[in-house]
Amino acid sequence: MRILLISSAYNGLCQRAHVELEALGHDISITLALNPDAVRKGVALFQPDLIICPFLKEKIPKDVWSQHHCLIIHPGIKGDRGPSSLDWAIMNDEPEWGVTVLQAAEDMDAGDIWASETFTVRPASKAGIYRSELTEAAIKAMRLAVKRIESGSHAPEALDYSKPDVRGELRPLMKQEQRRIDWAQDSASTIIKKINAADSAPGVLDRIDDLEYYLYGAHAESRLQGRQPGAIIAQRHGAICRAAIDGAVWISHLKRKNSVKQPFYQRFLPHAKHLDFKLPAATILGSTLKNTPEAPIAPLFNGSEATFKEIWYEEKNQVGYLHFDFHNGAMSTLQCRRLIASYRLALARPTKVLVLMGGRDFWSNGIHLNMIEAAENPAGESWRNINAIDDFVYEILTTENKLTVSAVWGGCGAGGAMAILAADRVWARAGAIFNPHYKTMGLYGSEYWTYSLPKRVGPVKALELTETPLPIGTRKAKAIGYLDEILSDQHEDYLQQVKQMAEALATAPHYPRQLEEKRKLRQKDERIKPLAAYRAAELRKMKSNFSGKFDCGEINYHQARHNFVHKIRPKETADYLAKHMRLDAAKTQRTAAILGLLRRSSIFQIGPEGDDKIDELRLKDRR
Ligand code: COA
């Protein structure tokens, strides 16, 4: 079928729907719901058999939904209606929640039901549940709905509140009054629940020292306590710990309320930027935390007590598991440096295999764009950050005393999607999404991608992946060699599989031979072209991106980063998404010519002149 995806953003769920439907053989185009005319244009040009809206905040025009088969993926159980579905589910301690695929209708979320799925609600942030359990349920329901539509014989179910399985109801938009934390009354678990229900948006509005901030990233604390509820009693790695009536709660990120006045002292700072976007709490609060004690944590923390931790380590049966769960997968300069220190300690352990577990929501999304945006000198901070992440990747690439594995549960993008390839093996859960490209940020990219990516997928695919900034799913990733193994989508089963496979690697009779072969291969590759040369060539390009001298894909990095951090919506759907808009035959021919050329040469192996060749081809393509 020709399926048009209409979505408020090309978010994780929309990316996954795109990948899944394409894998089923459907012809997909995407239009962002930027305005009614953009939607109408997309429909008129693509002439879809079916419209699916994976993530929709706006109403679609009546002339669109009344003339086309139009399905809405609603993040709620049958009968649930309204814009704050998951927020209410978390606030109301629902043990089970769901997703419903509805026919678009006059009354929002009240159309006929094509399919629905449920899932167990885990104590986690709204965004975390959305990216994991909800997305899985949504994809399952979407596939079923599409199958039912294809069958031509399925009659959707009318919404009928008298049916026992229709348990939802119409709920209003959740307002800040309903989210407000009462520090004098709320227990630590209630505070965490309130923050979770509003994370990643809109956040819970609260006051700190008489200024208003939105709170994000709540973590339980089992040891620290303070006398005055709400008071900041400790800080660690950018997060703050606040006393509650029955313990304490860590809050990792804050966003200043727009209307808030700059604190007086900030007017005199040389870079008095208005930091009105999400940042680590300590970055926002600055010197107001000067008397707040640090609560140190071991670089290879492996305790079981609840506390705020970004990096921790487990070890069993000759296998080490290094977790690094950085908020949103963004890795700042300091986070990379801490990770390197932990990685080195993990290497010194008497294990045979080291598994890089990444985080629950994302393995990594590369350098920390928000921290860079907040820096006094963004170009300088970009440089420090990219070097720090490169240093981490270098450690993995040059690890000689163990086999390494990247185990990807959450997805990864840009530098993170290249960093996973530094390990000897790459495993991922079936539903993971990879975005191995930098182009949307106007960057050439580093993380040794010019070494690792073509080594795994060949030069042609490497160029294809980096030039067309589209996500790939695990089936395609495995087929092209980007990924080695696809694991379960059930978290417990996934962890079990990772453990079994890592232990099998460690105990395999041919382990010593594998380690030896890995060393020899690295030495051979080093003789052909040293890692330092790959890095230098990549960083040369990055430097010109950072300085604004050279924009990749005609996108200026500083502008793209600003738009990303400030969540500025694009004016139109990018042509690589809107298939209906990009029938530019000449460009297609040029791309084919480039790929033909590359097929005949092995550009990524021939040294620095290879990189120049790519630039030359890219320049021609742009002309
Ligand atoms: N730095 C800072 N924040 C980042 C980030 C980064 N590198 N990558 C993602 N985030 C944040 C987003 O701003 C968003 O924040 P919020 O939910 O708190 O508002 C959150 O992480 C989730 O990202 P989102 O874009 O909504 O997720 P997605 O699943 O739709 O898309 C990516 C995933 C990776 C495609 C997308 O996040 C992306 O393009 N990130 C930038 C990658 C990049 O260019 N890195 C720098 C070069 S190495």
Side-chain angles (χ1 to χ4, degrees), residues 426-566:
V426 184
W427 306 335
R429 76 161 165 123
I433 289 286
F434 306 93
N435 276 285
H437 49 80
Y438 302 85
K439 226 178 161 181
T440 47
M441 207 49 68
L443 292 173
Y444 180 82
S446 194
E447 290 91 3
Y448 298 88
W449 77 266
T450 52
Y451 171 66
S452 306
L453 187 63
K455 191 164 147 61
R456 272 193 161 262
V457 306
V460 174
K461 278 272 171 273
L463 204 67
E464 228 174 82
L465 291 173
T466 48
E467 284 296 292
T468 318
L470 285 170
I472 53 167
T474 45
R475 266 162 298 182
K476 179 172 175 189
K478 190 169 178 206
I480 62 174
Y482 176 87
L483 180 68
D484 299 308
E485 298 294 341
I486 299 177
L487 311 186
S488 170
D489 272 324
Q490 297 299 318
H491 196 240
E492 286 309 312
D493 296 347
Y494 164 86
L495 291 178
Q496 201 53 33
Q497 283 175 332
V498 169
K499 190 169 158 286
Q500 277 167 3
M501 288 163 60
E503 288 182 9
L505 272 182
T507 53
H510 51 270
Y511 174 87
R513 202 187 70 222
Q514 287 199 334
L515 204 58
E516 191 46 34
E517 279 171 3
K518 158 181 156 153
R519 274 191 216 121
K520 283 196 176 136
L521 183 62
R522 179 81 282 286
Q523 283 163 9
K524 185 174 150 237
D525 285 353
E526 190 68 13
R527 279 194 300 274
I528 297 171
K529 179 174 171 180
L531 283 177
Y534 286 98
R535 179 169 174 157
E538 290 170 4
L539 288 182
R540 251 199 329 267
K541 308 277 176 10
M542 288 293 261
K543 200 167 201 168
S544 45
N545 295 151
F546 296 157
S547 69
K549 279 189 205 139
F550 174 66
D551 302 336
C552 280
E554 283 161 14
I555 294 171
N556 176 269
Y557 160 65
H558 295 288
Q559 188 61 52
R561 190 193 63 241
H562 176 89
N563 291 349
F564 180 83
V565 168
H566 291 89

Side-chain angles (χ1 to χ4, degrees), residues 69 83 86 103-104 154 182 213 276 309 408 483 529 550 577:
H69 228 325
L86 202 43
Q103 182 88 32
H154 182 85
D182 181 349
Y213 302 91
D276 56 354
K309 55 189 189 293
V408 184
L483 180 68
K529 179 174 171 180
F550 174 66
L577 298 177

Side-chain angles (χ1 to χ4, degrees), residues 567-584:
K567 306 203 177 299
I568 296 170
R569 294 183 89 189
K571 291 205 171 58
E572 52 187 31
T573 310
D575 64 353
Y576 57 87
L577 298 177
K579 197 185 236 177
H580 49 278
M581 302 286 282
R582 78 177 127 96
L583 294 168
D584 181 346

Side-chain angles (χ1 to χ4, degrees), residues 10-12 15 131 200 278 328 330 362 365-370 413-415 435 438 441 443 447 564 567:
Y10 191 55
N11 72 346
Q15 293 173 28
R131 288 179 192 129
S200 63
K278 202 177 288 178
N328 285 337
F362 295 103
N365 281 330
I367 55 176
H368 201 311
L369 299 169
N370 291 37
N435 276 285
Y438 302 85
M441 207 49 68
L443 292 173
E447 290 91 3
F564 180 83
K567 306 203 177 299

Side-chain angles (χ1 to χ4, degrees), residues 358-434:
R360 181 79 199 245
D361 286 356
F362 295 103
W363 196 92
S364 164
N365 281 330
I367 55 176
H368 201 311
L369 299 169
N370 291 37
M371 287 298 281
I372 291 168
E373 185 70 14
E376 186 179 348
N377 174 354
E381 185 49 34
S382 303
W383 182 251
R384 274 188 292 279
N385 202 160
I386 199 70
N387 274 288
I389 203 166
D390 279 1
D391 289 345
F392 170 57
V393 177
Y394 180 80
E395 292 282 332
I396 309 171
L397 285 169
T398 54
T399 295
E400 289 198 335
N401 66 341
K402 292 184 203 318
L403 289 181
T404 54
V405 177
S406 291
V408 184
W409 171 264
C412 47
M418 302 302 180
I420 58 168
L421 307 180
D424 304 315
R425 306 277 191 285
V426 184
W427 306 335
R429 76 161 165 123
I433 289 286
F434 306 93

